[in-house]
mmCIF file of all heavy atoms in Angstrom:
data_model
loop_
_atom_site.group_PDB
_atom_site.id
_atom_site.type_symbol
_atom_site.label_atom_id
_atom_site.label_comp_id
_atom_site.label_asym_id
_atom_site.label_seq_id
_atom_site.Cartn_x
_atom_site.Cartn_y
_atom_site.Cartn_z
ATOM 1 N N TYR A 1402 0.206 -4.388 -7.297
ATOM 2 C CA TYR A 1402 0.837 -5.430 -6.489
ATOM 3 C C TYR A 1402 0.415 -5.307 -5.020
ATOM 4 O O TYR A 1402 0.297 -4.198 -4.494
ATOM 5 C CB TYR A 1402 2.357 -5.324 -6.634
ATOM 6 C CG TYR A 1402 3.110 -6.392 -5.904
ATOM 7 C CD1 TYR A 1402 2.898 -7.727 -6.199
ATOM 8 C CD2 TYR A 1402 4.016 -6.075 -4.908
ATOM 9 C CE1 TYR A 1402 3.569 -8.714 -5.527
ATOM 10 C CE2 TYR A 1402 4.703 -7.057 -4.235
ATOM 11 C CZ TYR A 1402 4.476 -8.392 -4.550
ATOM 12 O OH TYR A 1402 5.147 -9.355 -3.870
ATOM 13 N N ARG A 1404 1.772 -5.494 -2.243
ATOM 14 C CA ARG A 1404 2.572 -4.719 -1.280
ATOM 15 C C ARG A 1404 2.729 -3.266 -1.684
ATOM 16 O O ARG A 1404 3.426 -2.509 -1.037
ATOM 17 C CB ARG A 1404 3.970 -5.319 -1.157
ATOM 18 C CG ARG A 1404 3.968 -6.662 -0.516
ATOM 19 C CD ARG A 1404 5.370 -7.098 -0.189
ATOM 20 N NE ARG A 1404 5.432 -8.526 -0.034
ATOM 21 C CZ ARG A 1404 4.954 -9.162 1.032
ATOM 22 N NH1 ARG A 1404 4.421 -8.478 2.012
ATOM 23 N NH2 ARG A 1404 5.019 -10.462 1.088
ATOM 24 N N SER A 1407 -2.476 1.475 -3.614
ATOM 25 C CA SER A 1407 -2.744 2.902 -3.567
ATOM 26 C C SER A 1407 -4.103 3.100 -2.901
ATOM 27 O O SER A 1407 -5.099 2.539 -3.344
ATOM 28 C CB SER A 1407 -2.746 3.463 -4.987
ATOM 29 O OG SER A 1407 -3.700 4.492 -5.110
ATOM 30 N N GLU A 1409 -6.128 5.661 -2.686
ATOM 31 C CA GLU A 1409 -7.179 6.273 -3.497
ATOM 32 C C GLU A 1409 -7.632 5.329 -4.600
ATOM 33 O O GLU A 1409 -8.816 5.255 -4.933
ATOM 34 C CB GLU A 1409 -6.698 7.601 -4.105
ATOM 35 C CG GLU A 1409 -7.843 8.317 -4.772
ATOM 36 C CD GLU A 1409 -7.453 9.652 -5.388
ATOM 37 O OE1 GLU A 1409 -6.490 10.258 -4.918
ATOM 38 O OE2 GLU A 1409 -8.138 10.063 -6.335
ATOM 39 N N GLY A 1410 -6.692 4.591 -5.171
ATOM 40 C CA GLY A 1410 -7.035 3.628 -6.207
ATOM 41 C C GLY A 1410 -8.040 2.606 -5.703
ATOM 42 O O GLY A 1410 -9.032 2.312 -6.363
ATOM 43 N N LEU A 1412 -10.055 2.930 -3.089
ATOM 44 C CA LEU A 1412 -11.330 3.585 -2.760
ATOM 45 C C LEU A 1412 -12.101 3.973 -4.017
ATOM 46 O O LEU A 1412 -13.325 4.079 -4.001
ATOM 47 C CB LEU A 1412 -11.084 4.821 -1.893
ATOM 48 C CG LEU A 1412 -10.573 4.515 -0.486
ATOM 49 C CD1 LEU A 1412 -10.291 5.800 0.258
ATOM 50 C CD2 LEU A 1412 -11.570 3.665 0.285
ATOM 51 N N SER A 1413 -11.384 4.189 -5.146
ATOM 52 C CA SER A 1413 -12.058 4.607 -6.371
ATOM 53 C C SER A 1413 -13.013 3.527 -6.865
ATOM 54 O O SER A 1413 -13.913 3.805 -7.654
ATOM 55 C CB SER A 1413 -11.039 4.931 -7.459
ATOM 56 O OG SER A 1413 -10.469 3.752 -7.970
ATOM 57 N N ASP A 1429 1.122 2.691 5.354
ATOM 58 C CA ASP A 1429 0.369 3.953 5.407
ATOM 59 C C ASP A 1429 -0.790 3.961 4.425
ATOM 60 O O ASP A 1429 -1.781 4.638 4.670
ATOM 61 C CB ASP A 1429 1.241 5.212 5.296
ATOM 62 C CG ASP A 1429 2.399 5.051 4.382
ATOM 63 O OD1 ASP A 1429 2.520 3.957 3.836
ATOM 64 O OD2 ASP A 1429 3.171 5.999 4.223
ATOM 65 N N GLU A 1436 -8.849 4.606 7.811
ATOM 66 C CA GLU A 1436 -9.434 5.909 8.095
ATOM 67 C C GLU A 1436 -10.677 6.186 7.261
ATOM 68 O O GLU A 1436 -11.557 6.942 7.664
ATOM 69 C CB GLU A 1436 -8.395 6.986 7.790
ATOM 70 C CG GLU A 1436 -8.073 7.888 8.942
ATOM 71 C CD GLU A 1436 -6.998 8.867 8.539
ATOM 72 O OE1 GLU A 1436 -7.314 9.811 7.820
ATOM 73 O OE2 GLU A 1436 -5.838 8.656 8.938
ATOM 74 N N LYS A 1537 16.882 -17.306 -1.122
ATOM 75 C CA LYS A 1537 18.240 -16.747 -1.131
ATOM 76 C C LYS A 1537 19.052 -17.349 -2.265
ATOM 77 O O LYS A 1537 18.760 -18.451 -2.710
ATOM 78 C CB LYS A 1537 18.965 -17.095 0.186
ATOM 79 C CG LYS A 1537 18.421 -16.455 1.405
ATOM 80 C CD LYS A 1537 18.947 -15.044 1.573
ATOM 81 C CE LYS A 1537 18.004 -14.215 2.389
ATOM 82 N NZ LYS A 1537 17.689 -14.798 3.672
ATOM 83 N N ALA B 234 -7.645 8.595 -8.960
ATOM 84 C CA ALA B 234 -8.386 7.403 -9.359
ATOM 85 C C ALA B 234 -9.889 7.609 -9.172
ATOM 86 O O ALA B 234 -10.698 7.082 -9.917
ATOM 87 C CB ALA B 234 -7.907 6.210 -8.549
ATOM 88 N N ILE B 235 -10.251 8.376 -8.137
ATOM 89 C CA ILE B 235 -11.665 8.656 -7.908
ATOM 90 C C ILE B 235 -12.010 9.946 -8.644
ATOM 91 O O ILE B 235 -11.397 10.980 -8.403
ATOM 92 C CB ILE B 235 -11.947 8.815 -6.405
ATOM 93 C CG1 ILE B 235 -11.694 7.484 -5.700
ATOM 94 C CG2 ILE B 235 -13.382 9.289 -6.180
ATOM 95 C CD1 ILE B 235 -11.883 7.538 -4.212
ATOM 96 N N ARG B 260 -17.092 10.245 1.369
ATOM 97 C CA ARG B 260 -15.890 9.746 0.744
ATOM 98 C C ARG B 260 -15.139 10.824 -0.033
ATOM 99 O O ARG B 260 -13.921 10.921 0.035
ATOM 100 C CB ARG B 260 -16.265 8.606 -0.202
ATOM 101 C CG ARG B 260 -15.118 7.733 -0.612
ATOM 102 C CD ARG B 260 -15.624 6.709 -1.590
ATOM 103 N NE ARG B 260 -16.403 7.383 -2.617
ATOM 104 C CZ ARG B 260 -16.076 7.349 -3.913
ATOM 105 N NH1 ARG B 260 -15.053 6.678 -4.305
ATOM 106 N NH2 ARG B 260 -16.808 7.979 -4.799
ATOM 107 N N ASN B 267 -7.991 14.243 2.980
ATOM 108 C CA ASN B 267 -7.065 13.389 3.731
ATOM 109 C C ASN B 267 -6.110 12.604 2.852
ATOM 110 O O ASN B 267 -5.146 12.041 3.350
ATOM 111 C CB ASN B 267 -7.845 12.413 4.613
ATOM 112 C CG ASN B 267 -8.327 13.081 5.869
ATOM 113 O OD1 ASN B 267 -8.425 14.301 5.903
ATOM 114 N ND2 ASN B 267 -8.625 12.311 6.880
ATOM 115 N N ARG B 269 -5.586 13.461 -1.072
ATOM 116 C CA ARG B 269 -4.954 14.247 -2.146
ATOM 117 C C ARG B 269 -4.257 15.507 -1.644
ATOM 118 O O ARG B 269 -3.127 15.783 -2.036
ATOM 119 C CB ARG B 269 -6.001 14.637 -3.177
ATOM 120 C CG ARG B 269 -6.351 13.483 -4.074
ATOM 121 C CD ARG B 269 -7.184 13.961 -5.214
ATOM 122 N NE ARG B 269 -7.921 12.849 -5.794
ATOM 123 C CZ ARG B 269 -9.007 13.015 -6.535
ATOM 124 N NH1 ARG B 269 -9.468 14.222 -6.773
ATOM 125 N NH2 ARG B 269 -9.609 11.971 -7.039
ATOM 126 N N PHE B 387 20.369 -9.108 1.873
ATOM 127 C CA PHE B 387 20.702 -10.531 1.810
ATOM 128 C C PHE B 387 20.061 -11.321 2.950
ATOM 129 O O PHE B 387 19.548 -12.410 2.736
ATOM 130 C CB PHE B 387 22.223 -10.723 1.846
ATOM 131 C CG PHE B 387 22.619 -12.172 1.817
ATOM 132 C CD1 PHE B 387 22.608 -12.868 0.629
ATOM 133 C CD2 PHE B 387 22.939 -12.838 2.984
ATOM 134 C CE1 PHE B 387 22.924 -14.214 0.607
ATOM 135 C CE2 PHE B 387 23.253 -14.178 2.964
ATOM 136 C CZ PHE B 387 23.255 -14.872 1.773
ATOM 137 N N ARG B 395 10.934 -7.355 -0.765
ATOM 138 C CA ARG B 395 10.012 -6.627 -1.624
ATOM 139 C C ARG B 395 9.687 -5.252 -1.043
ATOM 140 O O ARG B 395 9.631 -4.268 -1.765
ATOM 141 C CB ARG B 395 8.723 -7.424 -1.798
ATOM 142 C CG ARG B 395 8.901 -8.565 -2.755
ATOM 143 C CD ARG B 395 7.850 -9.613 -2.527
ATOM 144 N NE ARG B 395 8.286 -10.879 -3.086
ATOM 145 C CZ ARG B 395 7.779 -11.411 -4.190
ATOM 146 N NH1 ARG B 395 6.839 -10.785 -4.834
ATOM 147 N NH2 ARG B 395 8.212 -12.555 -4.640
ATOM 148 N N LYS B 412 1.993 13.098 8.821
ATOM 149 C CA LYS B 412 3.297 12.992 8.169
ATOM 150 C C LYS B 412 3.764 14.381 7.716
ATOM 151 O O LYS B 412 4.902 14.773 7.911
ATOM 152 C CB LYS B 412 3.165 12.065 6.964
ATOM 153 C CG LYS B 412 4.470 11.526 6.454
ATOM 154 C CD LYS B 412 4.235 10.661 5.248
ATOM 155 C CE LYS B 412 4.406 9.193 5.574
ATOM 156 N NZ LYS B 412 4.407 8.361 4.354
ATOM 157 N N GLU B 525 -0.679 1.940 -8.650
ATOM 158 C CA GLU B 525 0.155 3.131 -8.575
ATOM 159 C C GLU B 525 1.596 2.796 -8.918
ATOM 160 O O GLU B 525 2.122 1.799 -8.469
ATOM 161 C CB GLU B 525 0.074 3.676 -7.143
ATOM 162 C CG GLU B 525 0.581 5.070 -6.992
ATOM 163 C CD GLU B 525 0.298 5.579 -5.584
ATOM 164 O OE1 GLU B 525 -0.859 5.546 -5.146
ATOM 165 O OE2 GLU B 525 1.256 5.978 -4.928
#
Side-chain angles (χ1 to χ4, degrees):
Chain A
Y1402 183 59
R1404 292 190 201 286
S1407 145
E1409 188 179 334
L1412 292 177
S1413 74
D1429 36 0
E1436 237 178 76
K1537 293 278 155 55
Chain B
I235 295 178
R260 197 183 49 119
N267 280 21
R269 283 190 201 160
F387 179 79
R395 284 158 200 253
K412 198 182 254 190
E525 195 173 306

